[in-house]
Amino acid sequence: MALPPASAQAGTQALPGESSSGAGAGAPGAMVPDVEVTQAPATVAVLPFEANAAGKEAAPGITSLIASRIAESPRLRVLSQRDLQTRLSAERQRQLLGDTTCEKGHCLQELSTLTGARFVLTGRLDRFGDQYLLTASLVDTQEGRSLARPRAEASDDGELLRTAVAVSDDLSAALESPGATVTARPLLGGAVASSPGGGLTLGLRFNNSFIDKLSSLNPGLDLELGYWFHPEWQGFLQVGFTLVRASGESGDGKLNVLPSILGARHYHRLDTSLRPYWGFGLGVQLSFGDYGIFQNTGPLPSVVGFVGLEYLLVGRVGFQLELGTNIAQAVLGLADDGAGDGLNLDVNAGIAYHF
């Protein structure tokens, strides 16, 4: 229930529908109106991002993009560049910020006083050849502390826009929940935190191969080493084995296949915890037993394609669920008589740790 006007606070506060005889309460039996209290939006000052010589052309656009994304929240009010120019000259900005981020002490107090904003966002965009490095720092002048320091890389101009959107979403989240701290995005792993811990991943995968003309239970185990060589691309090397069994009552013809696959995955929606991907791989399989396209222990080519999902569970641990097929196996089969050719489907479930 809202409080009555200040003039009526001297008397007894009356509930809606009750009369009050206190001072300033009005006539007996009068209704005390509810006053709706709305919280004013928090003010955010987005200062123009600094840049090296190669990044100066793109920096104003990135500043505007991040400011406009933050301004989409009804709880926030972003000071326009005209407001900032009126309150804080470009020369004064350079004097306050210098070569480092203004996050505490006299600098922070003066920024708060001059801009009139509780939150102050500064940043820098550097370009090195075709690579961009975007860094930002968000401080709470009321609490006197840093809220977020996201940083990210982009490999080209198109990727830079997605980078700025991802960084602005991180900043918006920090502004909506000032108590939560947003950690920096990894430099290895790219613009959208492709790998929570860095560029390397180590995975353990359990799978089963459903192969036409062979038993439906063909379990396997893979050990995988991955590396993010691009913000959206991960290269990987898999080494493992698959136990292929022949159909029939006798259960004969067991075969251990040692696969070695070199491939790549392309991830989407990297700013979320649930990230779909697709990919492909090339390699060989060394087969032992009754099946072998050339002879026992002869090489069996592998051309695989797959789609999957990765969900980031906690911290640096991700769970993967993947469906794939071996195109070479479908065409060539596992043996000279064509056993195992046609339809094949691999179902994989695994855990990946991001270093």
Side-chain angles (χ1 to χ4, degrees):
M1 182 184 68
L3 295 176
S7 60
Q9 291 182 359
T12 301
Q13 182 176 335
L15 296 174
E18 294 181 348
S19 61
S20 173
S21 58
M31 299 290 291
V32 176
D34 287 338
V35 179
E36 184 178 357
V37 178
T38 59
Q39 184 177 3
T43 304
V44 185
V46 181
L47 302 184
F49 281 24
E50 298 293 323
N52 63 0
K56 282 189 177 296
E57 183 177 353
I62 295 301
T63 305
S64 298
L65 174 60
I66 292 177
S68 64
R69 293 279 296 187
I70 294 176
E72 291 177 1
S73 172
R75 300 180 183 179
L76 304 171
R77 183 174 71 89
V78 176
L79 294 180
S80 67
Q81 292 299 309
R82 179 174 297 179
D83 293 334
L84 291 175
Q85 290 172 0
T86 302
R87 305 180 189 189
L88 192 63
S89 66
E91 179 62 26
R92 190 58 184 141
Q93 290 181 35
R94 286 192 292 270
Q95 292 175 359
L96 286 173
L97 300 180
D99 296 329
T100 60
T101 303
C102 181
E103 295 182 354
K104 59 184 178 179
H106 174 74
C107 169
L108 184 60
Q109 295 177 0
E110 186 166 354
L111 274 177
S112 175
T113 301
L114 292 176
T115 62
R118 173 180 175 179
F119 302 103
V120 177
L121 174 63
T122 60
R124 184 176 180 87
L125 178 66
D126 292 314
R127 181 177 182 179
F128 308 97
D130 294 331
Q131 299 286 325
Y132 290 93
L133 175 60
L134 176 62
T135 59
S137 178
L138 177 66
V139 293
D140 185 342
T141 61
Q142 179 175 307
E143 300 291 337
R145 65 186 180 92
S146 174
L147 291 182
R149 294 179 182 178
R151 69 177 185 271
E153 286 182 333
S155 58
D156 52 41
D157 293 340
E159 185 63 35
L160 178 60
L161 296 178
R162 291 189 289 271
T163 298
V165 169
V167 169
S168 63
D169 290 345
D170 279 353
L171 295 169
S172 296
L175 287 165
E176 294 281 356
S177 304
T181 300
V182 178
T183 58
R185 294 180 177 273
L187 295 178
L188 290 177
V192 279
S194 305
S195 177
L200 292 174
T201 59
L202 182 64
L204 183 64
R205 297 153 46 92
F206 300 91
N207 58 69
N208 188 75
S209 299
F210 296 91
I211 304 174
D212 193 18
K213 300 182 183 179
L214 295 178
S215 173
S216 61
L217 182 60
N218 303 285
L221 176 68
D222 297 322
L223 182 64
E224 176 180 304
L225 180 65
Y227 179 74
W228 294 89
F229 62 90
H230 181 275
E232 296 179 356
W233 285 92
Q234 180 199 42
F236 65 85
L237 174 66
Q238 289 177 3
V239 178
F241 75 91
T242 299
L243 176 63
V244 180
R245 305 188 306 121
S247 301
E249 298 180 357
S250 64
D252 295 335
K254 290 186 178 180
L255 169 68
N256 288 320
V257 179
L258 181 66
S260 179
I261 303 293
L262 182 64
R265 293 188 180 91
H266 184 254
Y267 283 81
H268 301 270
R269 297 176 58 188
L270 293 175
D271 54 332
T272 65
S273 296
L274 184 62
R275 314 182 300 179
Y277 64 84
W278 59 268
F280 57 88
L282 304 174
V284 295
Q285 295 178 352
L286 297 179
S287 55
F288 305 89
D290 295 337
Y291 299 124
I293 189 170
F294 303 115
Q295 57 182 346
N296 290 348
T297 73
L300 179 69
S302 296
V303 181
V304 298
F306 52 84
V307 294
L309 291 171
E310 181 180 55
Y311 180 75
L312 296 179
L313 298 173
V314 288
R316 302 181 178 186
V317 180
F319 173 76
Q320 294 177 341
L321 185 62
E322 182 179 297
L323 298 177
T325 185
N326 190 331
I327 301 173
Q329 180 178 299
V331 175
L332 301 174
L334 286 176
D336 294 333
D337 60 1
D341 61 359
L343 177 65
N344 66 89
L345 177 66
D346 293 333
V347 180
N348 299 277
I351 295 291
Y353 185 82
H354 301 253
F355 289 93

